[in-house]
Amino acid sequence: AAREYIRAQGAPIVVKADGLAAGKGVILCRNEKEAYAAVDHIMIEDAFGDAGAEVVIEEFMTGEEVSFFALVDGEHALPLVAAQDHKTVGDGDEGPNTGGMGAYSPARVVDKAMAITIMETIIEPTIRGMAADGMPYKGILFAGLMITDAGPKLIEYNCRFGDPECQTLMMRLESDLLEILLAAVTGELDQVKVEWNRNAALTVVMAVNGYPGSYEKGSEIRGINDAEAGGAIVFHAGTKADGNKILANGGRVLNVTALAPSVEKAQTKAYDAVAKINWPEGFCRSDIGWRAINR
């Protein structure tokens, strides 16, 4: 049935595992041959386990992908800020999709006018629709968007802060996060104003060799204190303590994050910190922030 649908729709097209696949279950297919192979990879080769028992086949959208965040108290939606993730494993946005290899905020493609459009056409109708269905939502809405020539289009919602986008938001947030979250719980978001640092934040994800495929755990990571000495913050994602040692214990392991007056300066600061981390078994992309810098 999937192959017949692809044949009827043509390509390019997107094939997705319908279950949770740690951000790796999306395959962008430039032609029908690649789309048929993607279906086989997910459903026959069982690449994503139970997550691939069914597939979703969707329109291939052209544009810039951004992550837009809002807090919701069941009635009111409070916009936060946008960030841009780097989903693919390799420089130049090449290779398979991952859970995210780095991010930066602000995302200049979402200016004030675009943020208003996103709120009015995507976020607020969602809130009203859920309330009308008797299921008012309280919490975080993370909208994965494609900014196309026809305006913003919704790819997906997540009911959580995105990773690694969240790290850039936390670096820029000047207000008390707990107070904002409590306002979402108590229905008082309309009384909250959020203050943001005007500087740019950029996160470089360090992953273990082999990711997003198979990889080994247990390699030792050194130099984290040295990396933070210059003002960067190293968020731990897939690590564990073994006495005084820090060991890799996942695929995406560290998020090296820096705050600076521009994306370019934040990029330099983050990669200077990355260079001080002694972890031969790890790797990262070398071009996080390229789109903002080119712009």
Side-chain angles (χ1 to χ4, degrees):
R3 293 191 187 96
E4 290 174 7
Y5 184 79
I6 291 165
R7 194 172 296 115
Q9 297 299 315
I13 202 163
V14 181
V15 180
K16 299 180 178 182
D18 194 32
L20 294 175
K24 297 179 285 189
V26 180
I27 302 175
L28 309 180
C29 307
R30 292 167 294 184
N31 52 57
E32 291 183 24
K33 182 178 179 180
E34 289 183 358
Y36 300 144
V39 170
D40 289 347
H41 184 58
I42 295 171
M43 303 194 79
I44 296 176
E45 297 169 17
D46 210 25
F48 305 111
D50 292 342
E54 296 182 355
V55 294
V56 175
I57 301 173
E58 293 184 342
E59 171 192 359
F60 185 102
M61 293 185 284
T62 300
E64 283 195 45
E65 188 172 349
V66 298
S67 303
F68 186 87
F69 298 88
L71 270 171
V72 183
D73 65 6
E75 182 179 357
H76 311 101
L78 177 70
L80 301 180
V81 292
Q84 279 195 296
D85 189 10
H86 298 62
K87 294 295 294 182
T88 55
V89 72
D91 287 3
D93 294 335
E94 296 292 331
N97 268 359
T98 70
M101 294 301 295
Y104 61 88
S105 177
R108 297 299 183 192
V109 71
V110 180
D111 56 18
K112 288 184 178 180
M114 180 61 71
I116 291 171
T117 298
I118 291 168
M119 289 298 294
E120 291 180 347
T121 64
I122 296 174
I123 303 293
E124 290 170 356
T126 300
I127 303 312
R128 291 195 299 269
M130 293 186 73
D133 285 346
M135 297 181 294
Y137 176 70
K138 293 183 178 183
I140 185 74
L141 273 185
F142 158 19
L145 305 171
M146 188 70 75
I147 308 300
T148 73
D149 290 341
K153 292 188 176 184
L154 180 69
I155 302 170
E156 63 176 359
Y157 272 127
N158 287 296
C159 298
R160 55 175 173 80
F161 283 105
D163 174 22
E165 298 97 324
C166 181
Q167 287 86 324
T168 64
L169 268 64
M170 294 303 101
M171 292 289 279
R172 294 187 60 217
L173 182 65
E174 297 281 354
S175 302
D176 188 324
L177 177 62
L178 181 57
E179 290 182 5
I180 302 168
L181 298 179
L182 285 172
V185 173
T186 57
E188 298 173 333
L189 278 180
D190 59 330
Q191 302 174 32
V192 170
K193 183 179 180 181
V194 182
E195 300 292 339
W196 297 96
N197 191 306
R198 295 176 64 87
N199 286 343
L202 184 140
T203 293
V204 177
V205 170
M206 297 192 72
V208 67
N209 291 334
Y211 178 83
S214 59
Y215 54 83
E216 293 185 5
K217 298 180 180 180
S219 53
E220 185 177 357
I221 305 165
R222 302 179 180 89
I224 291 176
N225 290 339
D226 294 335
E228 293 189 322
I233 291 181
V234 180
F235 293 92
H236 291 240
T239 64
K240 72 174 183 178
D242 181 13
N244 293 325
K245 296 180 180 180
I246 298 295
L247 305 182
N249 195 44
R252 294 183 302 152
V253 177
L254 300 174
N255 296 267
V256 183
T257 309
L259 191 69
S262 67
V263 171
E264 188 170 16
K265 290 180 179 179
Q267 182 194 63
T268 298
K269 188 174 179 180
Y271 280 110
D272 284 347
V274 166
K276 295 174 182 176
I277 294 176
N278 181 5
W279 183 33
E281 294 81 6
F283 77 97
C284 64
R285 282 182 55 161
S286 66
D287 64 346
I288 302 302
W290 70 266
R291 186 175 277 111
I293 292 169
N294 285 357
R295 177 175 280 111

